Amino acid sequence: MNKSLLILKREYLTRVKKKSFIIMTLLVPFMMVLFTVLPIYLSTMDDEQQRTIAVYDETSLFLNRMEETQYTRFHYIPEDEYNALKADFKSGNYYAVLHIPINILSINQASLISDKQVTIDIKNLIENRLNKLIENDKRQQIIAESGIPDLDKRLSATRTNINLSTIKLGEEGKAIKGSTEMAMTVGYISGFLIYMFVLMYGMMVMRGVMEEKSSRIVEVIISSVKPFQLMFGKIVGIGLVGLTQVAIWVVLGFSISTGIHVFFGGAGAGSAARAQSIVSPEVMNQAGTQVASNNQVLQVLDAIGNLNLVLIISCFIFYFVAGFILYASLMGSIGAATDNDEDAQQMMFPVMFPLIFSITILFPVIKNPEGAFAFWTSIFPLTSPIIMMVRIPFGVAWWELVVSIVTLLATIMGTIWIAGKIYRTGILMYGKKVNLKEIIKWLRYKN
Amino acid sequence: MNLFEARNIHKEYARQKALDNVSVNIKEGSVFGLLGPNGAGKTTLIRIINQITAPDSGELFFEGRPLKADDIQKVGYLPEERGLYKKMKVGEQALYLAQLKGLSRKDALRGLKYWFEKFEIQPWWNKKVEELSKGMAQKVQFVTTVIHKPKLLIFDEPFSGFDPINTNLLKNEILDLKKEGATIIFSTHNMASVEEICDHIALINQSRKILDGPVNEIKQTYKSHIFELEFLGNLQLLKLPPSIRVLESEQNGETGKIRIQQQDNMTNNDLLKIFMNETEVLSFREIIPSMNEVFIQVVEQYNQKNH
């Protein structure tokens, strides 16, 4: 059997069989789902609590007019009962007391009194009800004053709701319905995944090399195989561990969310509709299928369908793998050049810097994916695996993509050559404090 | 026939010479001692033989033809700094290392079974390496060095870290391997074991080879013509030619004991005759230097000359 393959197999199997790997791989999708779905689910659960709110209305404008929901009811009380409640809140069985002052229309203020912290939903609900009633009254008054017949209906007819659909022109002048939000989401998620993967698994390569060096087994191994074969087997093996993990995450995450959709789907949509909380549209989008209406699901699917999925997926795999190989070979050579964790940590910083930089400029790039800054960082090979991936869902000119890919590939070749030299010299060097000057010297060694 | 040959090897690390025009010939079936002070360049030479590093210039031959990359399958190497994957199971690891040396899984398993039983480490097959004692781990490492029946075995300080019982066990294994036809390069500072095991040695000092030859010949070359005699008779009456210098003498009643050095290159028989004519010789022995003495003498002489 090919020796690189043997090494690859060992690197892969020992890591995949580790308890920590299995636990991480299985747990993360559940946790992700838990953290995104659970809060929304819980917030809808909470709202099923029955609450009665006492209303003391000095103006009598709102008496019996405030719209109730299934769970929140209003009970209108006279002044003496209000005073009694103020003295002893527990005497009445109310969640809160709403005090509407006589001059509410001029000061735009009312107060909600309770012995506990009132939930934001209740606060929003009451504000919403008061606003609506007051606005409505003012409107009716103006209509009456103007004396124009049917003004109410005519004014209602002026209410408009524009839905701006973003349309991107395709190659043949064909209009393609694009979704900016979807492009942002896809760009962000893929950029972040590459960052996380490269950092985590690049470090794993470094630690693997350091382990071999410090346990001194490396001398035995490289008396059987070439250092390059060892490094190759290690990087590819660990890369495959990462791909395995991501693949399992995707499959598990998909099945869990599908399962949740099936399990909670009907009830969730129902409770969402009944929910008294005023859920903002963004939250609804994030919650995905659970709270989104059918129409929204279709819109999302439509938007995904309109992204160039084949291009995105193939670019994702390319930048994912290329970014990993680039950084893993750098980190592997750091592991070979150093003896201890402290030195390694110090040398890690310059290597990690472009990665961290890419993540910090992720949002500016998403906001302006066509800008000069986005362009150059998506060509520069140390940031391009993340930044280009962020730009691709927005559509990138083909020549930009080619330049970025070619630059990255050329850099990888150079990096592997340099890393290989550092690796084969460093791996047998002990007790020597390594600095840049020393490493440049190593590059000049024959073999 | 030479199993391995290195001709005029040069190797430099950043303008510092590691090997300077070193040539060695290692005869098939012999035990070749590679000696030298720390930092002399022994490890570099071993790494070159192992193809871990390549020489800057010089030629390498294996079985009479230029060394090929594939030849590492026929070499077994036990480095001075031992190491195994700590978290890996013993059996799994031995199997992996054997396969890296080109054995099929089946052959590797069969060979490992034989050696593990021989060393009585079979019960440790499923233990992690970090659970083993140092001696036990050394045994595992020895097994992985010889499992693929290499033609050339390289042992760098093989006895360090072994207790006397295991040292003996290992020494016998090495001699058995030699009997079975393996050629062995043996690098050590332990001169007693060199005399016991090695047929031939090369001494490397300050990146140059300063001594090379069969152990017996070297000892003959470096003997200083010192003899020890016991005889019946009186020391005072002994008349010796001026070319014989008396180093030490002692009279014990009838018997005299003398330690002399002769400078005339006379044969042992001629020397004996001088004594036979005057006394009754009880014993006669030429003092042959130990390898330890040769080592110290040669290295010190060389260092003095080059300072």
Side-chain angles (χ1 to χ4, degrees):
Chain A
M1 206 197 291
N2 187 321
K3 287 177 182 178
S4 290
L5 212 64
L6 266 173
I7 291 165
L8 191 156
K9 210 174 102 190
R10 193 201 84 88
E11 297 290 339
Y12 182 80
L13 287 180
T14 51
R15 286 185 171 79
V16 167
K17 281 195 274 181
K18 259 188 195 161
K19 275 193 204 98
S20 55
F21 175 84
I22 295 171
I23 291 171
M24 266 286 276
T25 309
L26 295 183
L27 223 56
V28 165
F30 283 99
M31 284 178 20
M32 296 276 253
V33 170
L34 218 64
F35 286 140
T36 51
V37 171
L38 203 66
I40 294 161
Y41 180 67
L42 285 181
S43 70
T44 59
M45 294 289 286
D46 243 355
D47 288 331
E48 293 184 10
Q49 195 186 326
Q50 287 283 353
R51 294 190 184 98
T52 309
I53 291 163
V55 180
Y56 167 54
D57 182 8
E58 289 181 13
T59 63
S60 302
L61 280 174
F62 304 93
L63 272 183
N64 296 322
R65 286 179 66 202
M66 285 172 68
E67 197 187 331
E68 295 185 336
T69 71
Q70 195 178 354
Y71 303 109
T72 308
R73 304 192 176 278
F74 297 105
H75 187 248
Y76 302 88
I77 52 170
E79 185 175 5
D80 49 342
E81 199 178 338
Y82 170 67
N83 286 332
L85 275 173
K86 255 178 109 175
D88 179 15
F89 189 79
K90 289 262 174 334
S91 66
N93 199 12
Y94 298 114
Y95 175 74
V97 179
L98 173 66
H99 174 223
I100 302 173
I102 190 84
N103 55 351
I104 183 166
L105 292 180
S106 56
I107 63 169
N108 285 337
Q109 281 249 320
S111 45
L112 191 64
I113 303 150
S114 179
D115 60 346
K116 43 193 161 286
Q117 188 62 49
V118 174
T119 70
I120 189 85
D121 288 344
I122 294 289
K123 181 175 178 279
N124 287 341
L125 177 87
I126 291 173
E127 279 174 358
N128 172 279
R129 295 293 186 267
L130 292 177
N131 287 344
K132 250 181 163 172
L133 285 174
I134 294 171
E135 270 172 28
N136 204 35
D137 284 357
K138 285 179 178 168
R139 206 171 119 120
Q140 292 303 332
Q141 201 183 340
I142 290 169
I143 290 168
E145 280 168 4
S146 69
I148 301 167
D150 288 340
L151 183 65
D152 192 16
K153 266 187 198 155
R154 284 158 71 185
L155 276 178
S156 296
T158 62
R159 196 169 288 161
T160 19
N161 187 9
I162 301 287
N163 187 3
L164 190 66
S165 58
T166 46
I167 290 166
K168 211 179 69 190
L169 283 177
E171 293 280 306
E172 299 98 27
K174 207 177 90 189
I176 301 169
K177 235 196 214 170
S179 160
T180 310
E181 286 82 9
M182 193 43 67
M184 279 172 81
T185 313
V186 170
Y188 182 78
I189 289 178
S190 35
F192 193 77
L193 260 181
I194 291 177
Y195 165 77
M196 208 178 76
F197 177 86
V198 166
L199 198 63
M200 239 167 73
Y201 283 89
M203 296 276 266
M204 201 181 270
V205 169
M206 186 185 83
R207 258 177 285 140
V209 172
M210 285 178 76
E211 182 206 350
E212 274 168 358
K213 190 179 176 183
S214 63
S215 74
R216 310 266 176 169
I217 192 169
V218 69
E219 196 158 353
V220 174
I221 306 252
I222 62 171
S223 70
S224 311
V225 302
K226 296 267 154 243
F228 192 80
Q229 287 176 303
L230 177 58
M231 194 166 128
F232 175 84
K234 184 175 282 293
I235 289 178
V236 176
I238 292 178
L240 287 178
V241 175
L243 282 177
T244 308
Q245 189 163 54
V246 171
I248 292 175
W249 283 353
V250 167
V251 170
L252 263 187
F254 186 74
S255 12
I256 291 172
S257 49
T258 314
I260 284 179
H261 180 62
V262 168
F263 190 74
F264 292 110
S271 64
R274 287 194 310 271
Q276 53 192 205
S277 56
I278 300 157
V279 183
S280 67
E282 299 100 85
V283 175
M284 297 256 283
N285 273 339
Q286 275 167 15
T289 52
Q290 191 197 340
V291 282
S293 68
N294 265 345
N295 192 24
Q296 273 170 315
V297 174
L298 284 179
Q299 270 177 7
V300 169
L301 288 176
D302 202 28
I304 290 178
N306 283 327
L307 291 171
N308 191 344
L309 274 188
V310 177
L311 179 78
I312 290 177
I313 290 173
S314 35
C315 283
F316 178 74
I317 292 173
F318 169 78
Y319 281 107
F320 194 87
V321 171
F324 170 70
I325 291 176
L326 178 66
Y327 278 96
S329 47
L330 282 174
M331 290 183 192
S333 63
I334 288 178
T338 49
D339 273 345
N340 54 61
D341 280 344
E342 282 165 43
D343 288 356
Q345 220 93 81
Q346 248 173 31
M347 295 191 54
M348 274 303 280
F349 183 71
V351 173
M352 272 166 60
F353 182 75
L355 268 183
I356 296 168
F357 179 70
S358 310
I359 268 306
T360 53
I361 61 169
L362 225 143
F363 274 114
V365 168
I366 281 182
K367 274 191 194 150
N368 185 9
E370 302 294 323
F373 184 63
F375 171 76
W376 288 112
T377 46
S378 64
I379 299 295
F380 182 61
L382 289 176
T383 50
S384 69
I386 293 172
I387 301 302
M388 189 48 113
M389 207 47 234
V390 171
R391 287 185 61 203
I392 283 171
F394 294 94
V396 176
W398 66 267
W399 67 267
E400 288 181 27
L401 201 58
V402 169
V403 170
S404 167
I405 288 176
V406 169
T407 317
L408 184 55
L409 284 178
T411 311
I412 286 177
M413 308 259 202
T415 309
I416 287 178
W417 183 80
I418 291 173
K421 286 234 164 194
I422 297 174
Y423 181 81
R424 67 165 50 194
T425 310
I427 201 101
L428 292 171
M429 198 82 75
Y430 292 97
K432 206 168 192 179
K433 189 98 174 163
V434 175
N435 52 34
L436 203 63
K437 210 175 124 198
E438 183 77 27
I439 285 178
I440 289 169
K441 221 189 284 173
W442 293 0
L443 294 183
R444 292 207 225 105
Y445 286 171
K446 263 189 238 160
N447 241 320
Chain B
M1 189 193 136
N2 287 333
L3 180 75
F4 185 86
E5 212 181 318
R7 283 187 208 151
N8 310 339
I9 300 297
H10 285 269
K11 178 78 184 173
E12 261 179 49
Y13 289 115
R15 278 179 233 110
Q16 195 192 332
K17 273 189 183 136
L19 289 174
D20 184 5
N21 201 21
V22 171
S23 303
V24 289
N25 296 324
I26 295 157
K27 282 204 185 64
E28 187 153 12
S30 69
V31 179
F32 188 94
L34 192 56
L35 316 180
N38 293 325
K42 281 175 297 168
T43 306
T44 306
L45 183 59
I46 287 176
R47 283 179 180 167
I48 286 173
I49 297 171
N50 266 314
Q51 302 188 42
I52 290 175
T53 46
D56 295 340
S57 69
E59 289 167 296
L60 299 162
F61 296 90
F62 194 81
E63 296 178 317
R65 48 155 178 80
L67 185 71
K68 293 184 303 189
D70 276 358
D71 292 332
I72 43 177
Q73 313 248 7
K74 298 176 188 157
V75 178
Y77 176 36
L78 184 70
E80 183 176 3
E81 299 276 2
R82 313 295 153 72
L84 295 164
Y85 288 109
K86 291 192 181 68
K87 302 273 177 203
M88 214 174 163
K89 282 179 184 160
V90 173
E92 218 178 309
Q93 176 149 216
L95 191 60
Y96 172 63
L97 292 172
Q99 282 178 296
L100 279 187
K101 277 293 181 190
L103 286 187
S104 72
R105 197 185 149 84
K106 216 177 93 196
D107 290 347
L109 276 173
R110 196 186 308 128
L112 287 174
K113 190 166 178 284
Y114 166 80
W115 280 103
F116 270 57
E117 273 164 11
K118 189 168 190 180
F119 279 168
E120 295 168 346
I121 45 179
Q122 191 69 24
W124 297 88
W125 183 270
N126 270 324
K127 290 262 171 21
K128 280 186 179 168
V129 170
E130 58 191 352
E131 296 172 59
L132 301 188
S133 69
K134 196 178 169 195
M136 199 82 80
Q138 301 259 41
K139 279 185 186 172
V140 174
Q141 188 136 30
F142 179 81
V143 170
T144 62
T145 311
V146 300
I147 182 75
H148 56 297
K149 302 198 179 79
K151 285 197 164 169
L152 179 62
L153 276 159
I154 303 171
F155 295 116
D156 198 349
E157 290 292 356
F159 303 129
S160 73
F162 274 107
D163 61 37
I165 293 171
N166 281 325
T167 303
N168 209 37
L169 180 91
L170 196 65
K171 200 190 297 166
N172 291 334
E173 285 306 329
I174 291 174
L175 290 173
D176 278 355
L177 287 166
K178 185 195 164 188
K179 258 184 235 157
E180 286 162 26
T183 309
I184 296 164
I185 296 176
F186 189 65
S187 168
T188 184
H189 289 133
N190 182 344
M191 292 301 146
S193 61
V194 170
E195 287 188 54
E196 241 175 306
I197 300 177
C198 296
D199 308 315
H200 196 108
I201 62 129
L203 178 55
I204 293 178
N205 187 36
Q206 295 182 1
S207 71
R208 291 211 178 94
K209 187 179 79 177
I210 58 172
L211 187 63
D212 188 2
V215 172
N216 294 334
E217 279 178 28
I218 286 177
K219 285 171 131 189
Q220 290 296 324
T221 316
Y222 282 87
K223 67 185 179 185
S224 26
H225 308 286
I226 296 172
F227 298 85
E228 227 175 54
L229 285 113
E230 259 184 305
F231 53 86
L232 275 175
N234 195 338
L235 260 171
Q236 309 299 326
L237 302 172
L238 206 59
K239 281 187 221 83
L240 295 172
S243 65
I244 291 177
R245 204 151 62 92
V246 178
L247 301 173
E248 262 173 64
S249 60
E250 188 186 342
Q251 186 77 41
N252 263 335
E254 294 277 280
T255 44
K257 218 178 180 183
I258 195 164
R259 200 180 161 96
I260 54 156
Q261 184 171 34
Q262 60 110 332
Q263 285 136 345
D264 249 4
N265 262 343
M266 55 178 105
T267 63
N268 289 3
N269 278 359
D270 289 341
L271 186 68
L272 251 176
K273 272 181 201 146
I274 298 172
F275 284 87
M276 282 159 73
N277 288 339
E278 305 203 17
T279 59
E280 170 92 30
V281 176
L282 294 176
S283 74
F284 173 85
R285 189 161 72 94
E286 180 166 11
I287 305 294
I288 307 281
S290 68
M291 276 315 293
N292 205 29
E293 286 163 328
V294 174
F295 182 96
I296 292 169
Q297 189 194 338
V298 173
V299 170
E300 281 183 346
Q301 267 176 13
Y302 182 87
N303 289 353
Q304 272 164 15
K305 245 196 314 188
N306 288 279
H307 270 294

